[in-house]
Amino acid sequence: MNVLDITGLTIAFGKTVAVDNVSLSVAPGERLALLGHNGAGKTTLFKAILGFLKPASGQIAVAGHRPGSDAARIAVNYLPETVAFARNLTGREVLEYFSGLRGAPRAEIAGLLERVGLTGAADRAVGTYSKGMRQRLGLAQALIGAPRLLLLDEPTSGLDPVSRHEFYGIIAEAASRGSAVLLSSHGLEEIQNRTDRVAILAQGELRAEGTLAELAARAALRSTIRVTALPGEAERLHAELGGTRVNGTRLDIPCPPGAKLDLLARVGSHAGALADFDLQTPGLDDIYRHFSGQPLREETPQ
Amino acid sequence: MIARIRTVFVQEFRLARRNQWVLLATLMLTLFALALAFFGAGQGAALKADVLSLTAASLATLSVYLIPLIALLMSYDAFSGEVERGALALTLATPIRRWELFAAKFLAQCCAAGIAIVGSLAIAGAAVALVYGTEPAGLWAWARLTATSALLGAVFVAAGLTLSAATGRTARAAAFAIGIWLVMVVLYDLALLGGIMAAGEGVFASRVFPWLVLANPADAFRLYNLAALDAAPVAGIDGLARTLPFAPAAALGALALWLAALLALGMNRTGRIEP
Ligand SMILES: Nc1ncnc2c1ncn2[C@@H]1O[C@H](COP(=O)(O)OP(=O)(O)O)[C@@H](O)[C@H]1O
Ligand SMILES: [Mg+2]
């Protein structure tokens, strides 16, 4: 059974439709990344799962329960986009507080502090923590009571690459213990190899969903071959190969996925006229842009 | 339920202590009480009146300003601060009920304010009694003052928490706290004074006015304490304490009603916070 099931969910603030007919599910132990620009509706979706917002239509089931019910609140745990714990409390006191509210065993706290690497700083005031430590404390808070569903709203924004790496390590560990993880993020690069599936949200709509490989195949983006002609040869190459002139000597030739080798051979037959040659394959960013409806970075007019 | 209320209580009380509110409030109240006691003592000795009773009377007039201010300052940020920091969403994601959260915060801040009030009055009262001696009547007046001060503190803690939950933003909550203090404690009195001067002796002064005094928790507090003191030299609005159309204890009832109403309103507002 899925830990999270969302069907046809729509949430509106007045006239703004923040989440538009979204269906999603997450299985135990699975990590799903929710990708979207600012304002795409990620936080709104999380708040609905927590039961803070009423859907205009559609259903949410958290481990089979209605959001906001006691069973759902126990099953799901949350790390908000921005959270600042009271500066005068120690890390341990913050965890004791949430542990008490969830009725989780107090004995678990030392282990959680250990897992996020805060054992040494546990009895220092949160006000003295670095950004990374505060975020790790937030994650420890989210792990209290071994939740069946972890909601992490842009958990690594503002973290340096090393902290980010450690953060995903802890998340992977939680998933390996059976927690379902739903996390939001701005970029595909960051979550590559770190989540099992990806869902792309744009303007409240779910634009695509699947593994990265599936999304790449579905996007079927063109590569671009960029050649630099020897002086005086650009005109002739353009006539022979098509594409667009970028400046006096450069030429960009769009290349559909199936036609790569073919085109390469044709370019090769003009080897004598070339000064340089470059193949640009679509990156993760391009796949993301493709689905979220933003123009490609260097899209070439046909 | 009890475990959750205790959890929030412990945390909230800890914060009040670490923010030094308890210490600051105790110091401030103790200093004012001692100053009133020893500056007023010469007058008391001349009148051959009990110094403790006299100090209780003058302190009742001063507490009306101080205690609401302290209580509002302690409580105005209790919800709005957490909403702004994003921490309230985390609390509300746990199985806690909204009313439990409000009740726990209220209890913790009442304890903090109560400790400051009882502590400072006990220190000052003991000092006065030791230096000038006292009578049972003086001790009673002091005890009444202490208990009703704590009640007044509770009313304004409830008011502060309610406006904190209702506004949801620290800056607005602060503005409302100052506004409530000004209106309830300062302007209300001025308006009443103006009203009675304009109306003179008559139906307004004898029938309407006492109830208007009773309707404000700060005035009700002062009225009760002054009405219970025979020796106190009273004037102005407080002269009314001698000619009430109701028993002084009605003032306590007014305070209790305010407290109950504010608690109900506060829990209602807490239920509507959108984290
Ligand atoms: N409380 C609110 N009232 C009105 N509009 C809101 C509210 N919260 C979010 N929105 C709107 O809903 C949309 C989605 O916002 P959000 O879920 O915060 O996006 P994201 O988290 O993906 O950046 C935005 O257009 C935002 O302006
Ligand atoms: Mg967001």
Side-chain angles (χ1 to χ4, degrees), chain B residues 43 47 53-54 56-61 222-244:
Chain B
Q43 185 198 6
L47 287 171
S53 299
L54 274 183
S58 45
L59 199 53
T61 310
R222 188 170 49 190
L223 187 68
Y224 173 76
N225 277 289
L226 295 182
L229 282 174
D230 297 325
V234 288
I237 292 186
D238 302 328
L240 174 79
R242 299 278 169 272
T243 58
L244 289 178

Side-chain angles (χ1 to χ4, degrees), chain A:
Chain A
M1 195 190 83
N2 287 326
V3 179
L4 177 65
D5 266 311
I6 301 178
T7 39
L9 183 72
T10 299
I11 294 165
F13 298 102
K15 280 196 176 131
T16 325
V17 179
V19 172
D20 191 0
N21 195 19
V22 166
S23 300
L24 268 185
S25 49
V26 193
E30 189 183 31
R31 292 162 299 169
L32 173 62
L34 193 61
L35 247 56
H37 298 290
N38 284 327
K42 307 180 293 293
T43 302
T44 305
L45 186 66
F46 284 152
K47 287 188 173 172
I49 298 171
L50 289 163
F52 294 156
L53 297 174
K54 274 224 172 335
S57 64
Q59 276 93 42
I60 304 174
V62 178
H65 304 282
R66 185 180 55 80
S69 63
D70 274 356
R73 290 197 208 185
I74 289 291
V76 44
N77 221 336
Y78 174 49
L79 176 59
E81 197 170 347
T82 50
V83 61
F85 299 110
R87 301 173 57 83
N88 287 339
L89 295 173
T90 68
R92 192 189 306 280
E93 285 165 352
V94 167
L95 295 189
E96 279 169 359
Y97 173 75
F98 290 107
S99 179
L101 291 183
R102 290 187 171 274
R106 236 179 139 89
E108 167 194 74
I109 290 169
L112 284 175
L113 285 164
E114 178 77 45
R115 256 209 270 170
V116 300
L118 285 178
T119 305
D123 296 309
R124 259 167 50 196
V126 174
T128 68
Y129 282 19
S130 70
K131 162 104 187 164
M133 290 163 83
R134 285 201 300 268
Q135 203 65 3
R136 291 207 303 265
L137 179 63
L139 183 58
Q141 174 279 136
L143 294 172
I144 286 172
R148 297 176 61 190
L149 173 62
L150 261 176
L151 297 181
L152 310 171
D153 197 356
E154 295 185 25
T156 58
S157 62
L159 291 190
D160 62 78
V162 175
S163 317
R164 197 170 279 193
H165 184 75
E166 290 170 355
F167 214 87
Y168 280 106
I170 302 166
I171 294 172
E173 194 193 10
S176 72
R177 295 176 193 217
S179 292
V181 181
L182 177 59
L183 64 87
S184 71
S185 172
H186 276 310
L188 261 181
E189 248 119 53
E190 168 174 343
I191 51 99
Q192 186 182 23
N193 301 327
R194 286 165 169 170
T195 62
D196 305 305
R197 274 191 306 138
V198 178
I200 296 177
L201 204 60
Q203 280 142 24
E205 293 170 24
L206 191 62
R207 294 286 173 84
E209 198 244 287
T211 63
L212 257 185
E214 284 167 5
L215 294 191
R218 211 179 313 157
L221 294 175
R222 285 169 303 169
S223 307
T224 301
I225 289 177
R226 169 169 290 186
V227 296
T228 309
L230 288 172
E233 299 280 20
E235 200 63 39
R236 190 173 63 82
L237 278 177
H238 188 201
E240 300 264 339
L241 297 170
T244 24
R245 293 280 293 276
V246 176
N247 56 23
T249 57
R250 282 215 327 251
L251 187 62
D252 278 354
I253 312 163
C255 177
K260 221 183 281 181
L261 284 177
D262 213 29
L263 187 59
L264 209 54
R266 278 171 55 209
V267 173
S269 67
H270 296 283
L274 297 184
D276 198 7
F277 166 89
D278 200 12
L279 175 66
Q280 295 187 323
T281 51
L284 293 168
D285 256 1
D286 301 310
I287 296 174
Y288 176 34
R289 275 164 220 266
H290 172 80
F291 285 109
S292 59
Q294 300 287 317
L296 288 176
R297 197 173 9 186
E298 286 180 36
E299 195 164 39
T300 44
Q302 303 270 213

